[in-house]
Amino acid sequence: MNIREEFPMLSKNIIYFDNGATTFKPQMVIDEICDYYKNYSANAHRGDYNISLKTDMMYENARKKIKDLINASSAEEIIFTSGATEGLNMVVEGFFGKILKENDEILLTKSEHASNILPWFRLCKKNKCKIKYIDLDENYKVTLDNVQKAVSSNTKVISLAHITNVVGDIRPIKEIVEYAHSLGILVVVDGAQSVPHMKVDVQDLDCDFLAFSGHKMCGPTGIGVLYGKFDLLDSMEPYNLGGGMNLSFSSTGEVEYKSLPQRLEAGTPNIAGAIGMGAAADYLKILDLDKIHEYEVKLREYLVMKLKALDNIEVYNESSESGIVAFNIKNIFSQDTAIYLNDYNICVRAGSHCAKILKDELEIKNTCRISLYFYNTKEEIDKLISVLKNSDTLFNQIL
Amino acid sequence: MDANLRRSIILDNYQNPINRGLIDEEGYIKVNANNESCIDELNFIIKIKDNIIEDIRFDGEACAIATSAASVMIKALIHKNVDEALNIINNYENMINEKNYDSKILGEANAYDEIYKQPNRKKCALLSWSNLKNALEQFKKNN
Ligand SMILES: Cc1ncc(COP(=O)(O)O)c(C=O)c1O
């Protein structure tokens, strides 16, 4: 079967190029979620009756599927969160909040997503630690060389997107981790844009934490995963306290927490979400993430070649290796372009894409972003190109 | 208003907006206008003397509707006294929000009389006007 037929949203006559924001869901993911709500809707870790036992099994199975997806060494290292944002906040507050002190340094870049910057800003106010930005090269990329230049004896952690959501560059995480670890520096990876699009092996990368979201990888919204090395997660302060994460507590205030992963998952979890995300992990495994990446790189090359052939288009990230392409129609504000494309049922994102300090580097603040996924096609790109080619009438259309 | 005239007013004001570029001079009040639901970001400065709006200038990045509306607004409000200006703004807001308004006092601003048909663009059309209104009301309170 053609994979496009597995996605109900792809039969709606729209061209969807905003996969960096969220992705469509295949029927098998939708079916898994419905199955939970229709056939065994119970709480997890609670009851002694059959449907609850089934829920437990399915929820923990989903954890194993995610463990396999990123090749973690154990399922205890997989913590379900509400998304990449929550995962990053948990690490910053619950782990680094406990250990960073005055003058300790955190290395970031200016192309990080807000969720990998703002939690650090807050921590710096509280703990009086400092943020330093790794310089980007002329293609807005991170090089090991520039990481080494930014590191000082005060550096305690490097926190980077694996793939950034505006420039789409793939960071050399493995090399950075190797170098950082040689100096006792920890590395946090924001995998929101990488886990859905390429094989990410946490043991191979050897990163200390990895956060990502279900909805950007064909799964449901409201669910994500925080991976961490067991000992690090084990020393983390739980962000939320409540049911499901404690073994016992007394009226005098003594509490005993459960072990991982339950300790970091207080309250009723997003059970349907976790099961749906597990199904999405299966789906991506079947398609093969190496093949997905290869296809997206080819499709991107085609898109960039076609865009560059138009003299009214400026492309900002030609040399990136992911399915993310940032462009503008010359002299047209990005939002006007997006509104124009919407007239042809083409969905692109306009704006600064939650990377509000990247403008310091890019000189241009707002761009249109196309973010491809494996279900996009050359035919869709051809349609986009013909619409962009004929855009002299843009204002006649949108005004 | 005729569709071609409407479009040419908006386009002229977008491509050649009046008073674009801020200046660093005494006597100006600063007003920032950010559109929370999209990416428009405009900054204004206003100079009011003896209750008359002597100058309004702006800069920033925004879509065609928001940028042109800023230019059209500046033309409509400059040299008016604060109450006249507020009256024009109220009529403009009424037009955008499909309430009764006096089109005679709106001049070029009538070009936005059909924005209500694109609800997601109303905010763009209102951005500068609503922020200027707040600033003028604040000015009245303080003076
Ligand atoms: C690089 C990056 N990090 C983090 C996030 C946040 O993901 P979520 O909103 O699913 O928590 C995004 C989402 O746009 C992203 O692109």
Side-chain angles (χ1 to χ4, degrees):
Chain A
M1 189 159 98
N2 177 343
I3 51 166
R4 287 181 64 87
E5 287 165 18
E6 298 172 26
F7 288 79
M9 283 299 297
L10 290 176
S11 64
K12 309 224 174 280
N13 211 16
I14 56 178
I15 296 182
Y16 186 71
F17 283 150
D18 196 14
N19 295 289
T22 198
T23 54
F24 291 161
K25 325 303 171 199
Q27 189 62 47
M28 63 100 80
V29 168
I30 298 168
D31 287 345
E32 277 291 330
I33 295 166
C34 292
D35 189 39
Y36 164 71
Y37 282 123
K38 282 186 189 162
N39 297 320
Y40 59 97
S41 202
N43 211 324
H45 316 307
R46 301 292 198 277
D48 290 315
Y49 43 90
N50 286 344
I51 54 170
S52 173
L53 296 173
K54 164 116 195 225
T55 298
D56 264 7
M57 187 192 78
M58 294 298 284
Y59 183 72
E60 291 309 321
N61 252 344
R63 197 188 306 279
K64 286 198 196 90
K65 290 175 184 185
I66 304 293
K67 163 199 166 281
D68 290 342
L69 181 76
I70 60 170
N71 192 31
S73 35
S74 78
E76 285 81 50
E77 295 177 327
I78 303 298
I79 308 299
F80 282 116
T81 64
S82 68
T85 301
E86 188 177 55
L88 290 165
N89 275 278
M90 279 166 68
V91 172
V92 172
E93 289 289 322
F95 186 83
F96 290 98
K98 267 173 51 177
I99 61 170
L100 293 192
K101 310 225 158 39
E102 192 162 350
N103 294 327
D104 282 348
E105 285 171 7
I106 299 143
L107 291 188
L108 308 175
T109 71
K110 288 191 178 166
S111 47
E112 298 310 310
H113 188 274
S115 57
N116 187 28
I117 294 188
L118 301 186
W120 295 111
F121 280 1
R122 180 164 66 186
L123 185 65
C124 285
K125 276 211 184 112
K126 233 174 21 195
N127 291 22
K128 301 200 173 65
C129 39
K130 287 193 193 116
I131 290 169
K132 286 214 308 198
Y133 296 102
I134 301 162
D135 281 339
L136 303 177
D137 76 3
E138 69 279 6
N139 292 316
Y140 320 110
K141 294 184 182 179
V142 175
T143 60
L144 182 59
D145 204 34
N146 281 344
V147 172
Q148 291 172 342
K149 281 185 194 142
V151 163
S152 79
S153 57
N154 291 330
T155 308
K156 292 288 168 353
V157 49
I158 303 176
S159 188
L160 296 176
H162 195 174
I163 298 184
T164 58
N165 62 315
V166 187
V167 179
D169 54 318
I170 304 179
R171 269 81 179 264
I173 296 294
K174 188 172 171 174
E175 290 73 23
I176 292 171
V177 169
E178 194 181 350
Y179 172 71
H181 284 175
S182 75
L183 300 171
I185 298 166
L186 294 174
V187 180
V188 179
V189 177
D190 168 2
Q193 299 291 351
S194 63
V195 174
H197 299 275
M198 61 191 277
K199 204 162 267 173
V200 174
D201 178 330
V202 290
Q203 294 191 65
D204 180 52
L205 293 176
D206 199 28
C207 58
D208 298 293
F209 294 99
L210 173 80
F212 54 104
S213 295
H215 68 97
K216 293 183 200 282
M217 49 174 271
C218 297
T221 56
I223 187 80
V225 160
L226 172 65
Y227 157 84
K229 285 184 179 161
F230 187 90
D231 292 342
L232 302 178
L233 281 180
D234 207 35
S235 69
M236 211 159 118
E237 182 60 27
Y239 197 59
N240 289 321
L241 304 180
M245 58 78 64
N246 70 79
L247 273 178
S248 66
F249 55 94
S250 68
S251 55
T252 51
E254 282 123 70
V255 194
E256 208 184 334
Y257 296 156
K258 283 190 180 165
S259 54
L260 291 178
Q262 276 75 27
R263 188 194 312 149
L264 298 176
E265 292 180 357
T268 300
N270 180 354
I271 298 166
I275 292 169
M277 188 171 176
D282 275 348
Y283 186 76
L284 295 182
K285 272 194 93 177
I286 295 167
L287 289 184
D288 188 343
L289 278 152
D290 283 335
K291 288 204 180 118
I292 288 175
H293 182 62
E294 197 181 314
Y295 177 79
E296 287 176 19
V297 168
K298 284 223 179 80
L299 200 59
R300 162 187 232 280
E301 278 168 12
Y302 182 75
L303 170 61
V304 169
M305 176 193 71
K306 290 278 184 176
L307 283 173
K308 283 188 63 191
L310 301 179
D311 41 5
N312 61 337
I313 300 291
E314 188 144 12
V315 176
Y316 298 103
N317 62 338
E318 199 186 322
S319 72
S320 295
E321 318 81 354
S322 72
I324 293 174
V325 177
F327 74 98
N328 273 325
I329 303 181
K330 286 179 190 158
N331 303 316
I332 304 285
F333 189 61
S334 60
Q335 195 183 20
D336 289 324
T337 304
I339 288 165
Y340 167 71
L341 292 176
N342 179 50
D343 265 4
Y344 297 90
N345 292 325
I346 300 175
C347 313
V348 303
R349 175 90 181 273
S352 60
H353 317 296
C354 297
K356 297 200 179 195
I357 53 180
L358 182 60
K359 61 176 188 278
D360 300 355
E361 305 273 328
L362 212 54
E363 280 160 23
I364 181 127
K365 199 158 82 181
N366 291 300
T367 56
C368 289
R369 179 186 71 183
I370 290 176
S371 42
L372 302 167
Y373 212 10
F374 55 82
Y375 44 64
N376 288 123
T377 62
K378 282 189 177 173
E379 289 70 35
E380 290 177 319
I381 290 174
D382 291 341
K383 176 87 190 290
L384 168 83
I385 295 295
S386 87
V387 171
L388 287 174
K389 199 182 216 161
N390 297 315
S391 60
D392 352 328
T393 58
L394 182 143
F395 284 117
N396 286 346
Q397 215 153 312
I398 67 169
L399 293 180
Chain B
M1 188 180 274
D2 165 67
N4 281 328
L5 179 58
R6 181 185 290 126
R7 195 178 295 135
S8 76
I9 291 174
I10 296 177
L11 258 188
D12 281 351
N13 280 283
Y14 174 53
Q15 285 163 345
N16 305 297
I18 191 171
N19 288 2
R20 184 167 207 158
L22 301 183
I23 50 174
D24 196 11
E25 241 180 59
E26 295 240 325
Y28 279 87
I29 309 168
K30 282 197 182 116
V31 184
N32 296 330
N34 293 345
N35 190 341
E36 275 187 28
S37 65
C38 68
I39 56 182
D40 298 329
E41 202 178 320
L42 296 174
N43 305 302
F44 291 85
I45 52 173
I46 331 171
K47 187 175 190 177
I48 303 173
K49 207 171 157 198
D50 301 329
N51 211 38
I52 302 283
I53 300 177
E54 282 202 340
D55 195 17
I56 310 177
R57 307 191 60 84
F58 83 106
D59 77 356
E61 266 199 65
C63 66
I65 298 281
T67 307
S68 61
S71 169
V72 167
M73 175 193 76
I74 290 174
K75 291 184 202 164
L77 302 188
I78 231 163
H79 305 314
K80 301 285 189 300
N81 74 37
V82 171
D83 285 320
E84 286 167 340
L86 281 170
N87 184 42
I88 295 172
I89 297 176
N90 285 331
N91 275 282
Y92 179 85
E93 286 183 335
N94 283 348
M95 173 179 78
I96 301 291
N97 290 320
E98 296 177 79
K99 294 186 192 145
N100 288 332
Y101 67 99
D102 181 359
S103 74
K104 288 191 300 291
I105 63 168
L106 289 183
E108 275 195 329
N110 282 300
Y112 302 84
D113 62 352
E114 287 199 354
I115 291 288
Y116 69 88
K117 292 183 181 166
Q118 299 165 270
N120 58 337
R121 314 291 328 258
K122 276 164 73 168
K123 286 219 168 84
C124 311
L126 283 171
L127 179 68
S128 4
W129 294 79
S130 308
N131 280 283
L132 257 283
K133 178 173 167 175
N134 290 342
L136 293 177
E137 282 173 345
Q138 196 63 42
F139 174 85
K140 270 183 77 165
K141 251 193 238 152
N142 298 344
N143 289 274

